[in-house]
Amino acid sequence: MERSSDKVTFSVETPLKLSSGIDLAPVTMAYETYGTLNAERTNAVLVCHALTGDQYAASRHPITGKPGWWETIIGPGKPLDTDRYFIICPNVIGGCMGTTGPRETDPATGKPWGIRFPVITIADMVRGQAMLLDHLGIPDLFCAIGGSMGGMQVLQWASDYGDRVFAAAPIATAARHSAQNIAFHEVGRQAIMADPDWHGGEYLAHGTSPQKGLAVARMTAHITYLSEVALHRKFGRNLQDREALSFGFDADFQVESYLRHQGITFVDRFDANSYLYITRAMDYFDLAADHGGVLADAFKGTETRFCVISFTSDWLFPTVESRRIVQALNAVAADVSFVEIETDRGHDAFLLDEPEMFRTLRGFLQSAAEARGL
Ligand SMILES: CC(=O)SCCNC(=O)CCNC(=O)[C@H](O)C(C)(C)COP(=O)(O)OP(=O)(O)OC[C@H]1O[C@@H](n2cnc3c(N)ncnc32)[C@H](O)[C@@H]1OP(=O)(O)O
Ligand SMILES: N[C@@H](CCO)C(=O)O
């Protein structure tokens, strides 16, 4: 384990066999930990991040300086109580905050991988996390938890490593990407690849960055993380810093200015090629397809206990997707609880202070901890 100024990483030469059949080596996993691993090594919690998340779930981000993206949930006395549990949050394979991904150096060429990096899957991300846990000497997890793509990783963990997952909390997620999910990601990828500064993915070698394309990709995706009600409540048709319409193409409206801001601030902390790879991994995710089209078969024989959470205004991963997961778990007599939380803040509500999510997770984890003898 190494800590540079702001990253903890672990590297291994052992090749990681990817879903594509390619052996990826060496592999570096960047991660953050919070709390203390108990002597019995039974209190480990894996926090899986979403599409543009990273390992800084409860630590200040080294680029944006913002608080951790899940400080509402992780910390002393919070549902993921760092006085009780040992939290591990890895940056996913394909990411850009220190874990092996398209921005890292290809050992065969000594240059950044770019889009010569192998296409990775959610299962590959989880395989890399299992390797990290092995390195940390953690035989199994008290809990695997995450929202959105993090929830996909949780489901993959429960399916591929069920005997290593005591409790699982997939939040605001789905067992497969829908046509609409894929469609939105495709628009984002095309925006990046249409940017003249993308250079076929070799922008680092050209000393450029497709920031305009990446910003447009983010603007599009960001709309899907919110809700129409919340957007209208926040911005309506209000004008931004002006008394009258410009009859031009400035950001007349507040909502335009807001989305431009979200796009511009995003490109400082994220890599365009990583965006291509991670959205692709989400698009390829389909647990049922991996099990003969029967989602229940992905969890056959599971002894993991599940808490599935969705949000009423999430139109990216609507509640019907969580119901499908619950139905599949019920079909194999799994221990599962489910709650749909009333909010108008859309998909990204799982990132915000949602009291009912806080209470639900605290109750679920408390009960699981008692059953686990923690
Ligand atoms: C699980 C994970 O892995 S997390 C993934 C990584 N993190 C993220 O996705 C963070 C970005 N996303 C988010 O923050 C969540 O999607 C959100 C949108 C739910 C956050 O919601 P809120 O906390 O209500 O923040 P909000 O959406 O209002 O955005 C506030 C920002 O917009 C800016 N803003 C608001 N109105 C305007 C406007 N009219 N013009 C320009 N900027 C504006 C604010 O100044 C603020 O800027 P800052 O955050 O850079 O300081
Ligand atoms: N807004 C979060 C969740 C998206 O699913 C992200 O950017 O990763």
Side-chain angles (χ1 to χ4, degrees):
M1 175 177 91
E2 294 176 25
R3 175 171 276 281
S4 66
S5 56
D6 54 39
K7 288 188 182 67
V8 175
T9 60
F10 133 80
S11 297
V12 64
E13 293 297 329
T14 315
L16 183 71
K17 176 72 76 183
L18 301 178
S19 305
S20 61
I22 291 170
D23 282 336
L24 182 64
V27 173
T28 297
M29 295 291 294
Y31 63 98
E32 290 286 298
T33 62
Y34 311 100
T36 307
L37 186 63
N38 64 14
E40 302 77 19
R41 296 176 176 270
T42 55
N43 70 333
V45 175
L46 182 72
V47 170
C48 301
H49 70 67
L51 165 58
T52 80
D54 46 45
Q55 63 270 39
Y56 303 103
S59 18
R60 194 160 292 280
H61 198 282
I63 297 172
T64 66
K66 284 190 168 186
W69 51 264
W70 230 11
E71 290 209 0
T72 53
I73 298 294
I74 300 170
K78 296 179 181 176
L80 290 179
D81 188 345
T82 45
D83 291 335
R84 191 172 189 182
Y85 311 123
F86 177 61
I87 317 291
I88 307 139
C89 184
N91 181 214
V92 298
I93 287 181
C96 51
M97 287 305 292
T99 291
T100 300
R103 187 160 67 178
E104 301 302 321
T105 301
D106 174 357
T109 65
K111 295 176 182 171
W113 281 99
I115 59 165
R116 288 175 292 103
F117 189 73
V119 169
I120 43 98
T121 63
I122 299 292
D124 293 328
M125 295 176 185
V126 164
R127 232 171 262 126
Q129 291 161 0
M131 189 176 64
L132 173 61
L133 294 186
D134 293 344
H135 165 72
L136 295 173
I138 295 172
D140 62 5
L141 291 168
F142 161 57
C143 182
I145 182 170
S148 195
M149 185 182 83
M152 292 177 166
Q153 294 161 67
V154 170
L155 295 173
Q156 193 80 58
W157 261 99
S159 180
D160 293 356
Y161 299 95
D163 58 341
R164 294 184 68 175
V165 182
F166 181 78
I171 303 168
T173 195
R176 53 78 200 260
H177 237 205
S178 68
Q180 178 173 266
N181 295 145
I182 295 167
F184 276 112
H185 277 171
E186 175 60 0
V187 171
R189 288 191 291 268
Q190 290 304 318
I192 290 166
M193 295 190 282
D195 186 319
D197 284 331
W198 182 61
H199 290 291
E202 301 299 322
Y203 46 88
L204 293 177
H206 284 78
T208 64
S209 177
Q211 295 203 332
K212 295 184 182 67
L214 182 57
V216 170
R218 181 62 169 182
M219 290 169 74
T220 306
H222 197 67
I223 297 167
T224 72
Y225 305 150
L226 310 172
S227 76
E228 200 279 337
V229 169
L231 267 179
H232 199 75
R233 181 181 68 239
K234 275 185 176 179
F235 305 113
R237 291 180 49 81
N238 303 334
L239 299 184
Q240 177 75 16
D241 302 333
R242 59 178 66 248
E243 298 303 317
L245 298 175
S246 68
F247 284 90
F249 297 98
D250 293 341
D252 280 7
F253 298 98
Q254 285 180 3
V255 67
E256 293 172 320
S257 171
Y258 166 74
L259 281 178
R260 291 187 189 194
H261 173 83
Q262 291 289 342
I264 290 164
T265 52
F266 178 62
V267 299
D268 294 335
R269 69 175 179 86
F270 214 80
D271 173 62
N273 284 334
S274 272
Y275 196 86
L276 300 182
Y277 280 87
I278 297 176
T279 57
R280 206 13 140 218
M282 293 177 77
D283 293 347
Y284 282 8
F285 184 65
D286 184 343
L287 261 186
D290 297 341
H291 293 82
V294 180
L295 182 56
D297 287 354
F299 305 109
K300 197 177 286 182
T302 185
E303 294 184 6
T304 300
R305 57 182 59 207
F306 293 82
C307 177
V308 180
I309 297 176
S310 70
F311 296 94
T312 50
S313 55
D314 184 347
W315 59 277
L316 188 66
F317 292 116
T319 293
V320 65
E321 297 296 343
S322 287
R323 289 196 202 289
R324 285 199 181 101
I325 295 164
V326 173
Q327 285 157 359
L329 291 169
N330 282 332
V332 295
D335 175 346
V336 54
S337 60
F338 166 56
V339 65
E340 179 187 38
I341 294 174
E342 182 69 41
T343 179
D344 71 3
R345 299 200 286 185
H347 174 67
D348 265 9
F350 77 95
L351 294 174
L352 297 177
D353 180 8
E354 285 285 348
E356 190 178 349
M357 179 175 75
F358 190 97
R359 288 193 295 273
T360 299
L361 288 176
R362 188 164 55 186
F364 171 67
L365 290 162
Q366 175 63 32
S367 165
E370 286 167 7
R372 177 96 158 161
L374 294 181

